[in-house]
Amino acid sequence: ETGVTQSPTHLIKTRGQQVTLRCSSQSGHNTVSWYQQALGQGPQFIFQYYREEENGRGNFPPRFSGLQFPNYSSELNVNALELDDSALYLCASSLTSSSYEQYFGPGTRLTVT
Amino acid sequence: GQQLNQSPQSMFIQEGEDVSMNCTSSSIFNTWLWYKQDPGEGPVLLIALYKAGELTSNGRLTAQFGITRKDSFLNISASIPSDVGIYFCAGPNSNYQLIWGAGTKLIIKP
């Protein structure tokens, strides 16, 4: 069984640029959730994708968008990067959209300068 | 909005000690989850609780779902060096989205 993988591991971008982060869900899981984790804090829910549709969104602006593909892998896109977007971005997969037991990837560390 | 408060924020442990931490909220939760995060990694699910009063163990870890449904507790018995890390509680809010505490950091006493 393959766990959740994310790419890239680290990324440095300049304010105003755009970034795409990628996630492959655990085998058999059809739901992917994305979180932002600032240093010293718990993860904050960005949004969830279930069967290629957005299935819930946290308190993040529209410049945070996502996609889920037929194989349940997912992308997180952030436009017009701001310094405050610097964080660890975590992807988690779950068996179904109604399951709260989520399995996380190692994250992508994004630094915006 | 709903918030989860974890205490203590950090604690120093000596190998062999028992450890207790808790998570409280002003709102009722129907599910409590405990995760551990090591540096540079994503959180790992330790224990999930679904019923008020439930007590569940995972090896040396035991977690309880408080009977008021506004708190949960995690205990680690006979701690070992690999227990060091950050422990998070999490629960679904009214929109079925997981919200998280700020974590309890376990540090080994020098």
Side-chain angles (χ1 to χ4, degrees):
Chain A
E1 187 178 87
T2 311
V4 178
T5 60
Q6 292 187 244
S7 63
T9 309
H10 296 88
L11 204 49
I12 300 174
K13 289 284 189 178
T14 304
R15 193 170 48 182
Q17 284 189 315
Q18 178 264 341
V19 70
T20 298
L21 311 182
R22 294 180 175 83
C23 169
S24 290
S25 60
Q26 187 164 311
S27 174
H29 288 189
N30 61 22
T31 302
V32 170
S33 302
W34 285 92
Y35 293 84
Q36 181 194 68
Q37 187 177 24
L39 212 56
Q41 297 185 23
Q44 280 212 303
F45 176 76
I46 303 175
F47 43 55
Q48 183 184 81
Y49 276 83
Y50 168 62
R51 293 193 173 183
E52 303 177 59
E53 298 282 334
E54 188 179 286
N55 182 45
R57 189 180 183 92
N59 191 24
F60 281 81
R63 58 190 185 83
F64 285 78
S65 63
L67 277 176
Q68 188 179 32
F69 300 99
N71 66 356
Y72 304 131
S73 66
S74 177
E75 283 183 357
L76 164 65
N77 300 292
V78 187
N79 292 324
L81 283 166
E82 301 177 1
L83 297 178
D84 282 351
D85 295 334
S86 295
L88 181 68
Y89 288 85
L90 293 163
C91 164
S93 73
S94 50
L95 202 54
T96 68
S97 61
S98 57
S99 173
Y100 295 117
E101 296 181 24
Q102 299 182 355
Y103 297 87
F104 284 79
T108 294
R109 172 71 62 189
L110 173 65
T111 303
V112 182
T113 62
Chain B
Q2 289 171 292
Q3 278 189 319
L4 293 178
N5 303 304
Q6 286 191 247
S7 65
Q9 270 189 321
S10 61
M11 56 194 309
F12 287 87
I13 60 170
Q14 205 144 43
E15 190 171 349
E17 281 182 344
D18 293 345
V19 171
S20 290
M21 62 189 77
N22 67 51
C23 185
T24 61
S25 173
S26 57
S27 308
I28 286 172
F29 279 78
N30 293 316
T31 299
W32 290 93
L33 302 151
W34 285 93
Y35 282 85
K36 179 182 181 238
Q37 187 173 28
D38 291 327
E41 302 198 9
V44 173
L45 180 65
L46 300 172
I47 294 176
L49 302 161
Y50 297 103
K51 194 175 169 184
E54 181 182 352
L55 192 71
T56 297
S57 292
N58 177 5
R60 294 177 296 105
L61 276 62
T62 302
Q64 184 161 24
F65 192 140
I67 55 171
T68 66
R69 292 163 63 195
K70 292 183 178 181
D71 55 13
S72 179
F73 307 89
L74 178 69
N75 296 310
I76 305 173
S77 62
S79 57
I80 60 178
S82 61
D83 290 334
V84 161
I86 304 178
Y87 291 79
F88 290 100
C89 63
N93 65 10
S94 52
N95 293 322
Y96 307 103
Q97 299 164 359
L98 275 189
I99 61 170
W100 296 66
T104 292
K105 188 172 185 179
L106 288 198
I107 307 158
I108 280 280
K109 273 183 193 171

